[in-house]
Amino acid sequence: MLRFIRQLAFALISIAVLIVIFGVLNPRFLSPINWFHITQQVAVIAILAIGQTFIIATAGIDISQGSVVALSSMICALIIVDTHLGIFAGIMLTLALGALVGSIIGGSVVVLGVPPFIATLGMLAIALGVALLTTNGTPVFGLPENFQIIAQGTLLGFPNMGWIAIVIALLAAYLLNKTRFGRYTLAIGSNAEAARRVGINVPRHLMLIYILGGTISALAGIVYLSYTAAAQPTSGANYELYAIAAVVIGGGSLFGGVGTILGSILGALLMTILKNGTQLAGISSYVEQVILGIVVIGAVYIDNLRRRLR
């Protein structure tokens, strides 16, 4: 518990420092309209970070999330616009696609023994390639307003996509902290062999974890599509890096066995503030990529340092 409190304090202090810095660099950063946009922007990263939390807690990793977001948004858009099956069918079929992607990754890890990094690296290439092939790299437009309102609308003055992220976070926190599924997840990440010896079906549970991760990535793609109102085959680029950094900054460990949904949400907020603040400060997008890389390396270093201290 003390470690969790220290990590949350670290995330909150880092967020406060960034707010002060970017507020000084550009007073517009502190405006209500900009914070409304930050709430929208953090939603997709937060949803991805939630899925990444479960995977990292098992000592795995998913670097295919950004490409799955692109693939999901393209497929969802094509179903809604071209097939006229309707919004509900488009959403359900896209979530099913995410589950399929997760099952392929899980099967590679569990059945074939492929390391999670390599399995998801392969899926990154596959998902991006399929996203490009579906329309030969052409964006898809013409989404109905009823679909766009899912993310672009507001409820009680708060963005709908923010509410979606909050609901997913609450469900995920309950699943991770209050259920056998969550206890098994952390146990496998702490010591897979010990978990196997006490009767946990480790292969089956890992399959479920990656299916859950793929489904959540597809959901993030749907929300992103609704927000942008257009499907781009390269959308979601680098989102997996933001999600991984968010989990580690929020107290998760790449060595497994540790992770909280609240911490990951705070990490996602920090990464979104960093992205938004650099843009308002007029910092080049190329420099932004450099900063992202430094933050990811720094987060992993801090994770390694925490592990050594323990």
Side-chain angles (χ1 to χ4, degrees):
M1 178 59 72
L2 182 60
R3 177 187 178 280
F4 173 64
I5 293 174
R6 285 201 304 265
Q7 194 59 35
L8 288 185
F10 170 76
L12 289 170
I13 292 172
S14 299
I15 289 171
V17 169
L18 287 180
I19 290 174
V20 171
I21 291 174
F22 290 129
V24 171
L25 291 176
N26 190 334
R28 285 193 303 155
F29 175 81
L30 301 174
S31 66
I33 186 63
N34 185 57
W35 277 93
F36 182 88
H37 291 318
I38 288 176
T39 305
Q40 292 179 308
Q41 293 164 4
V42 75
V44 174
I45 297 175
I47 292 171
L48 290 174
I50 290 168
Q52 195 74 242
T53 300
F54 283 92
I55 295 171
I56 288 179
T58 65
I61 195 168
D62 185 357
I63 62 171
S64 68
Q65 284 185 315
S67 294
V68 175
V69 166
L71 175 61
S72 301
S73 63
M74 291 296 292
I75 297 301
C76 187
L78 288 173
I79 292 172
I80 294 173
V81 175
D82 290 353
T83 68
H84 306 292
L85 291 176
I87 294 173
F88 181 77
I91 292 173
M92 290 298 102
L93 290 173
T94 303
L95 292 177
L97 172 65
L100 175 61
V101 168
S103 67
I104 294 172
I105 295 173
S108 300
V109 173
V110 173
V111 179
L112 302 180
V114 179
F117 179 85
I118 301 301
T120 55
L121 176 63
M123 183 53 68
L124 180 155
I126 293 169
L128 180 58
V130 174
L132 290 166
L133 283 170
T134 50
T135 60
N136 288 324
T138 305
V140 180
F141 301 98
L143 290 157
E145 291 186 8
N146 288 343
F147 178 77
Q148 296 180 40
I149 202 70
I150 293 174
Q152 296 181 18
T154 60
L155 178 63
L156 302 177
F158 195 76
N160 284 349
M161 58 197 302
W163 286 116
I164 294 172
I166 289 172
V167 170
I168 299 300
L170 291 174
L171 292 174
Y174 177 81
L175 185 63
L176 185 61
N177 300 321
K178 301 295 184 180
T179 68
R180 184 181 300 174
F181 184 89
R183 291 193 296 271
Y184 285 2
T185 299
L186 297 174
I188 291 171
S190 297
N191 191 321
E193 182 58 32
R196 185 179 293 108
R197 289 181 178 180
V198 298
I200 298 175
N201 190 332
V202 175
R204 175 179 176 273
H205 194 82
L206 286 176
M207 278 292 297
L208 292 175
I209 288 292
Y210 282 103
I211 290 172
L212 175 65
T215 304
I216 291 177
S217 294
L219 175 62
I222 294 168
V223 173
Y224 185 85
L225 174 65
S226 175
Y227 176 59
T228 59
Q232 300 279 353
T234 56
S235 59
N238 293 330
Y239 269 37
E240 65 280 353
L241 298 182
Y242 285 102
I244 293 168
V247 174
V248 177
I249 290 170
S253 174
L254 292 174
F255 298 97
V258 181
T260 67
I261 300 302
L262 176 58
S264 296
I265 296 299
L266 289 177
L269 178 59
L270 187 149
M271 296 302 296
T272 305
I273 289 173
L274 182 64
K275 181 179 178 67
N276 177 274
T278 53
Q279 291 173 347
L280 284 181
I283 297 174
S284 167
S285 60
Y286 305 130
V287 177
E288 181 187 330
Q289 295 299 312
V290 174
I291 294 173
L292 173 59
I294 293 172
V295 170
V296 171
I297 294 172
V300 174
Y301 170 74
I302 292 172
D303 175 40
N304 192 33
L305 184 63
R306 286 199 306 254
R307 181 170 177 266
R308 290 179 179 177
L309 291 175
R310 289 201 302 272

